[in-house]
Amino acid sequence: MGRTISLTVYGRRVEEDVEPRLLLAQFLREQLGLTGTHIGCDTSSCGACTVHIDGEAVKSCTVLAVQADGAEITTIEGLARNGELHPVQRAFYAEHGLQCAYCPPGMIMSAAYLLEQNPNPSEQEVRHGLEGNLCRCTGYHNIVNAVLAAAKG
Amino acid sequence: MATTASDSGIGASVLRKEDAPLITGQGRYVDDIKLPNMAHAAFLRSPHAHAVIRGIDTAAAAAMPGVVDIFTYDTLGLEAGVPCASNPFGNAKQPKRPILADGKVRMVGELVAVVVADTAALARDAADRIVVEYDPLPVVIDAENAGKPDAPQLHEEAPGNHCLTIEHKTEGFDAVFDAAPVKVSLTIDNQRLTAVPIEPRGVVADWISSSGELTFYTSTQVPHFVRTFVSAICGIPEAKVRVVAPDVGGGFGAKIDVYAEEFVLAQVSRLTGRPVKWIETRSEHMVATVAGRDQLQTATLAADESGRMLALRVHLLQDCGAYLALLTPSIAHLTVIMVPGAYALEHVDITLDEVFTNTTPTDAYRGAGRPEAAHLVERLVDRLADELGKDPAEVRRLNFATEFPYTTATGLLYDSGDYAAALDKALELSDYAGFEARRSEAAARGNYRGIGLSTWVEICGLAPSAVTKAIGIGAGGWESAIVRLHPTGSATVVTGSSAHGQGHETSWSQIVESELGIPFDQVDVVHGDTGQSPYGLGTYGSRSLAVGGTALQLTCGKVRDKARLIAAHLLECAADDLEWSGTQWQVKGSPERAKTIQELAYAAWAGDSMPTGVEPNLEATTFYDPPNFTFPFGTHIAEVEIDGETGKVVVERYTAVDDCGNVINPMIVDGQVHGGIAQSIAQALYEETVYDESGQILTGTLVEYMIPSAAELPRFDTARTVTPSPSNPLGVKGIGEAGTIAASAAVVNAAVDALSGIGVRHLEMPMQPGRVWEAIQQAKAGN
């Protein structure tokens, strides 16, 4: 059946047997119990499952778990450090950037990556930078505000 | 209304207490629940839109390792159909919808069999191995064809595929209509949409055979309805069913329904003796979860030369889909009653026909019948203004209802309003007066720029129970609340409404702080669990604050009144000698003689020094039935630019002035407005659920069904006027659907305005580039 993969999930070394067809998103949720990463579609359209793989934002439903062998993964659960929320998490709270909150784990991971690549984005750069993440509640208005606020620090 | 001056009481933009777990990945949605020995369900669905089932062979699938059991209609043991709880005037045909297909399927996605297996992947694999023999039947997918004499017939009980007809005509209509000097007509296809909450539906059913108890986790807006229907359909005493709506990732009306899958999950947990989970895939959502809208409208508005509206004739053709879902027949009835919009229109002649087709059932989708009404009347007013060469803002102003309460031509009593105030504010904020310069500037770049209004009004605060009964909805419209003070002074609120993103925990805590003086952070709000809350009717129709919030406010009043008796006893004075400070009962003129609400909570719990006849402890319950609906309103103004070469429409500016009465949390209200506008712009520009002639869905994933991203939407400039509702003591109206009701008409009006100079008079939704480009070419060719 499976093969063994070993990877680092926000600093913790894990070694697991996985089925070859298992998606990284499912692996994180079902085998590691990290249910903060959400799944919202079948077609890599919604971005709810976005995580960081070796520092890059990736939709974890587009990656097989076996492909993540050896990688370093950060999920929404690992974004806060030493009890301190990441600036993007703080800004989503302060700007009312979430309602039902199913999309924010992926949205926040995408936004955090966006700001790493471009620490001082324009509004249009934020909007285009987040176009792989769908939200059905906020109309994006406050999400965009949150990312701009996080950039200002 | 008792209020306290504070940073976290009524009226303050308090940050949400819900958020901390949700931004750190500690939310708990249905798919996050894992129970010991849990099995997984997968459904085999019909690939045909209409077919007779000749046989189902499950042998190969059942033999696969890891498969626990497979059930079809013959073995599931559920005789009853999926419930429809609405029948507007008692004459709707309500054909039975078997929970699993009983020899026939009438839509793609209909449930045929269910597999229970050790993992979700094994269940899916096994479902694919079930062999079903179908004899396909002719298919009808659109409402216009469904009524034709040679159309395929879906149900024996519904000849001509006819579900119901509702007619509403005012006395004297014909004379006024016939004599009117000006008439404008429109045909509008208010297209089919799919709700697409980012969390799909999902269920974990956990049957304990020894006690006969079912615990049922489901992603729903209405946990108590689910309990009632699961009990009734599956034959489990209601008291033995506990339904939990954990964190729910959006609903938008699609999670009001109680679905076939939910009954199946309850039953297979019982039959297999294991907890069973099912999580809807997005592809399933597109065919299995109720759709919205899908209403074909033809209308003629009669007016005089000054632009005064005199009479409105409307025909609505509603596509119900293949079966009736929970509220299907009533959705278009809401369109019927809201057709007059914000206008003092004396005469209407409205006919609604509802029909069956081989498509997914339609039901509530954010706005539920009211967006269809607002879109129609707001497009007609613009057509009228265009016909007369008048400013659309002034034609609206001329026709506004101005005296409140106002009785409409469809028999509603609008509670309060100042429609011109909202219009004026929006005109100013949008720089309406300066628009022509922006139009010219765009024209110089080869683009068409237009501006469009929508002066919307809607019906909220569902609903007085006598009215829901009268319009054929099989449930009351009241809501419940408990306020429970603890001996150490904090409070638990239990509400029957069921938030799924609306921030009730925050707003409800603000109400308690203002009403009882218990600090916001000391209030805990419990919702979404029938094991903890009294019966509640849930969250939909922008009802939660107007009905559930009022229930809470009244309950706080009961607690405060009881605390006063205890305070009087402890302070050895008459209750009438006390006044409420906002946080304590104090002797009038001697505020140092006082008992805080926390002291009184402790004294009531201790119970040793209670006034005669007063029970110990501070806790109260209210079941509140509202006396009337509420009618929020406002003006939205969209400004669009259309690429002259490609036909692409971009919303460049968007101004929303809404009036939802008194506001508990302005930040949350703005958030609701933003989301609603986005969904309605999406209807205007992007979204449409499409079937081919054989009934196959062509928008079966989010690749084909276009939900806009941040890149497709503008910023929203929001503002408010405040006209309190007299229908409830909080003076609130409701805001959850305002944006969805308002925006589509504003955007289409703006696009038509942009192209009116070349002769375009109407555009159908969604205004995708190809469609707009064609309209431009045709208009140019015609000139």
Side-chain angles (χ1 to χ4, degrees):
Chain A
M1 102 128 196
R3 65 174 266 206
T4 303
I5 58 170
S6 64
L7 61 170
T8 309
V9 181
Y10 56 90
R12 186 163 59 102
R13 191 101 184 121
V14 293
E15 202 168 282
E16 290 273 331
D17 287 333
V18 295
E19 266 196 81
R21 68 173 172 176
L22 191 70
L23 300 174
L24 179 62
Q26 296 166 327
F27 170 75
L28 292 168
R29 291 181 50 80
E30 289 159 23
Q31 262 176 264
L32 300 189
L34 296 172
T35 54
T37 298
H38 293 158
I39 297 173
C41 70
D42 321 322
T43 46
S44 300
S45 305
C46 79
C49 65
T50 304
V51 301
H52 293 180
I53 302 179
D54 294 329
E56 197 173 344
V58 175
K59 293 178 180 181
S60 62
C61 73
T62 62
V63 180
L64 295 167
V66 293
Q67 292 175 288
D69 192 10
E72 189 168 325
I73 312 280
T74 302
T75 66
I76 186 71
E77 289 95 339
L79 201 58
R81 291 291 159 90
N82 306 319
E84 276 279 303
L85 291 178
H86 187 280
V88 173
Q89 288 172 308
R90 277 205 305 275
F92 267 64
Y93 170 61
E95 299 293 332
H96 187 31
L98 60 150
Q99 291 182 28
C100 86
Y102 200 76
C103 79
M107 193 73 79
I108 288 170
M109 298 308 286
S110 287
Y113 177 70
L114 169 72
L115 292 183
E116 274 172 31
Q117 299 298 302
N118 180 0
N120 190 22
S122 68
E123 177 178 338
Q124 282 312 311
E125 286 171 333
V126 171
R127 288 184 178 275
H128 285 284
L130 295 178
E131 67 189 344
N133 292 76
L134 299 180
C135 170
R136 199 62 161 158
C137 293
T138 65
Y140 306 100
H141 183 102
N142 286 343
I143 288 176
V144 172
N145 283 350
V147 179
L148 292 171
K152 282 186 190 147
Chain B
M1 184 166 59
T3 55
T4 49
S6 86
D7 294 333
S8 45
I10 288 174
S13 282
V14 193
L15 296 180
R16 297 203 322 171
K17 58 170 56 179
E18 288 90 342
D19 289 358
L22 302 176
I23 54 175
T24 50
Q26 294 176 326
R28 169 74 59 89
Y29 298 83
V30 171
D31 195 19
D32 303 340
I33 294 167
K34 209 177 214 179
L35 298 179
N37 199 32
M38 188 170 77
H40 298 261
F43 289 98
L44 180 68
R45 296 174 183 275
S46 170
H48 294 285
H50 201 189
V52 172
I53 297 175
R54 290 291 169 212
I56 305 175
D57 183 354
T58 60
M64 291 172 69
V67 172
V68 178
D69 213 335
I70 298 175
F71 303 94
T72 62
Y73 180 83
D74 291 336
T75 54
L76 187 68
L78 292 180
E79 290 295 319
V82 180
C84 171
S86 100
N87 194 338
F89 292 99
N91 59 355
K93 315 283 192 325
Q94 297 193 312
K96 180 181 174 182
R97 176 183 186 178
I99 288 169
L100 294 178
D102 178 17
K104 199 172 190 184
V105 291
R106 297 177 179 85
M107 57 178 241
V108 168
E110 187 158 357
L111 301 181
V112 175
V114 59
V115 179
V116 181
D118 288 334
T119 72
L122 289 172
R124 182 72 264 146
D125 288 347
D128 292 342
R129 292 284 295 276
I130 297 172
V131 179
V132 184
E133 191 185 340
Y134 294 98
D135 278 351
L137 296 168
V139 169
V140 61
I141 60 144
D142 65 289
E144 274 186 297
N145 286 325
K148 291 182 177 165
D150 58 346
Q153 300 292 298
L154 270 74
H155 303 281
E156 282 180 17
E157 307 94 310
N161 298 316
H162 178 259
C163 174
L164 68 81
T165 296
I166 292 174
E167 292 172 325
H168 182 88
K169 188 173 182 180
T170 50
E171 209 176 312
F173 174 91
D174 288 332
V176 174
F177 185 84
D178 293 343
V182 180
K183 293 198 179 77
V184 291
S185 298
L186 276 176
T187 297
I188 295 174
D189 182 2
N190 202 294
Q191 81 269 30
R192 176 176 285 242
L193 303 174
T194 302
V196 195
I198 305 298
E199 182 205 27
R201 292 184 295 128
V203 179
V204 175
D206 184 19
W207 170 257
I208 307 296
S209 59
S210 54
S211 60
E213 290 175 326
L214 177 71
T215 306
F216 197 77
Y217 304 90
T218 184
S219 185
T220 184
Q221 300 172 229
V222 287
H224 284 90
F225 281 175
V226 174
R227 185 181 66 174
T228 297
F229 284 116
V230 165
S231 162
I233 302 289
C234 299
I236 307 168
E238 197 165 353
K240 293 284 195 183
V241 180
R242 176 184 168 206
V243 174
V244 180
D247 287 325
V248 172
F252 311 111
K255 293 178 182 173
I256 303 172
D257 280 90
V258 189
Y259 285 89
E261 290 91 343
E262 294 179 294
F263 304 117
V264 172
L265 264 284
Q267 188 73 351
V268 298
S269 179
R270 242 180 357 169
L271 292 171
T272 62
R274 291 174 66 170
V276 184
K277 176 191 275 191
W278 166 72
I279 301 298
E280 183 185 57
T281 66
R282 184 58 63 194
S283 312
E284 284 183 295
H285 180 84
M286 303 309 286
V287 292
T289 293
V290 294
R293 318 283 190 261
D294 209 343
Q295 189 181 95
L296 187 65
Q297 309 171 322
T298 50
T300 301
L301 174 62
D304 67 18
E305 282 103 348
S306 74
R308 189 169 297 281
M309 296 158 67
L310 299 174
L312 175 58
R313 173 170 280 156
V314 175
H315 181 258
L316 306 174
L317 180 59
Q318 175 66 41
D319 189 336
C320 295
Y323 301 97
L324 301 183
L326 194 69
L327 299 170
T328 303
S330 289
I331 302 304
H333 186 219
L334 285 169
T335 311
V336 169
I337 60 177
M338 288 309 296
V339 153
Y343 308 109
L345 178 65
E346 277 184 36
H347 288 288
V348 294
D349 175 11
I350 308 166
T351 304
L352 163 67
D353 287 310
E354 301 192 8
V355 298
F356 295 102
T357 64
N358 293 112
T359 61
T360 300
T362 54
D363 202 333
Y365 169 57
R366 199 172 192 174
R370 293 105 90 207
E372 296 90 317
H375 190 89
L376 175 62
V377 73
E378 290 305 301
R379 284 288 301 122
L380 282 166
V381 174
D382 258 42
R383 274 293 297 121
L384 176 62
D386 181 60
E387 187 75 13
L388 297 171
K390 290 180 182 293
D391 180 348
E394 296 315 309
V395 173
R396 284 172 166 82
R397 189 190 306 279
L398 178 69
N399 286 288
F400 280 152
T402 53
E403 309 258 322
F404 295 90
Y406 176 78
T407 302
T408 71
T410 51
L412 296 171
L413 188 70
Y414 287 180
D415 56 345
S416 63
D418 187 347
Y419 302 156
L423 173 64
D424 286 336
K425 196 164 187 172
L427 292 175
E428 187 187 332
L429 284 174
S430 65
D431 186 25
Y432 187 76
F435 171 73
E436 288 305 326
R438 299 194 288 279
R439 192 200 298 274
S440 303
E441 187 272 330
R445 286 184 281 107
N447 288 348
Y448 302 99
R449 196 165 176 118
I451 194 162
L453 285 80
S454 174
T455 51
W456 64 279
V457 60
E458 67 146 325
I459 181 169
C460 284
L462 278 60
S465 296
V467 178
T468 60
K469 173 80 176 173
I471 59 174
I473 293 174
W478 45 269
E479 197 48 89
S480 62
I482 294 174
V483 175
R484 178 178 299 145
L485 268 55
H486 302 292
T488 49
S490 61
T492 296
V493 170
V494 191
T495 176
S497 61
S498 192
H500 42 285
Q502 294 86 349
H504 291 178
E505 294 174 35
T506 298
S507 302
W508 274 220
S509 297
Q510 292 179 254
I511 292 172
V512 173
E513 176 169 308
S514 287
E515 295 289 329
L516 286 176
I518 296 171
F520 176 83
D521 291 336
Q522 296 285 307
V523 183
D524 188 51
V525 180
V526 174
H527 60 85
D529 183 349
T530 67
Q532 295 195 58
S533 93
Y535 207 109
L537 298 179
T539 289
Y540 50 88
S542 307
R543 69 186 299 274
S544 291
L545 186 59
V547 191
T550 301
L552 172 59
Q553 186 201 26
L554 296 174
T555 312
C556 289
K558 289 179 183 174
V559 168
R560 207 170 50 228
D561 289 348
K562 182 174 173 181
R564 181 182 204 169
L565 299 178
I566 300 166
H569 183 70
L570 295 174
L571 294 166
E572 299 180 340
C573 65
D576 284 348
D577 292 338
L578 295 173
E579 61 185 4
W580 177 250
S581 76
T583 58
Q584 62 183 9
W585 282 110
Q586 61 197 30
V587 177
K588 291 172 187 168
S590 307
E592 72 285 357
R593 289 186 62 207
K595 292 288 177 188
T596 66
I597 192 71
Q598 288 83 3
E599 289 171 328
L600 293 165
Y602 180 81
W605 170 77
D608 59 301
S609 185
M610 298 292 287
T612 308
V614 177
E615 293 175 2
N617 222 4
L618 277 181
E619 175 167 331
T621 303
T622 301
F623 294 88
Y624 170 71
D625 196 38
N628 188 12
F629 298 95
T630 61
F631 295 88
F633 62 90
T635 296
H636 286 211
I637 300 182
E639 199 167 316
V640 306
E641 194 157 316
I642 300 174
D643 187 303
E645 291 188 0
T646 66
K648 184 181 177 187
V649 182
V650 174
V651 180
E652 295 287 349
R653 295 170 63 149
Y654 198 96
T655 305
V657 175
D658 295 298
D659 193 321
C660 57
N662 290 329
V663 170
I664 305 298
N665 185 318
M667 174 192 81
I668 287 177
V669 166
D670 284 344
Q672 290 292 312
V673 171
H674 296 158
I677 295 169
Q679 274 175 308
S680 194
I681 290 178
Q683 175 170 18
L685 295 183
Y686 304 116
E687 293 180 22
E688 181 170 28
T689 305
V690 184
Y691 293 88
D692 72 10
E693 287 300 313
S694 69
Q696 297 295 328
I697 191 160
L698 300 180
T699 48
T701 73
L702 296 187
V703 174
E704 298 90 8
Y705 189 86
M706 189 182 160
I707 307 286
S709 77
E712 280 83 37
L713 292 169
R715 298 188 68 75
F716 308 118
D717 297 321
T718 56
R720 269 183 289 284
T721 58
V722 177
T723 310
S725 173
S727 298
N728 61 69
L730 279 172
V732 298
K733 291 196 166 186
I735 196 65
E737 295 152 297
T740 327
I741 289 163
S744 67
V747 174
V748 174
N749 284 338
V752 172
D753 176 60
L755 301 180
S756 63
I758 58 168
V760 172
R761 292 289 170 269
H762 183 60
L763 289 165
E764 288 283 8
M765 300 187 291
M767 299 185 297
Q768 290 165 348
R771 177 175 275 168
V772 177
W773 183 85
E774 269 182 34
I776 293 170
Q777 304 314 311
Q778 282 175 10
K780 282 181 171 171
N783 281 345

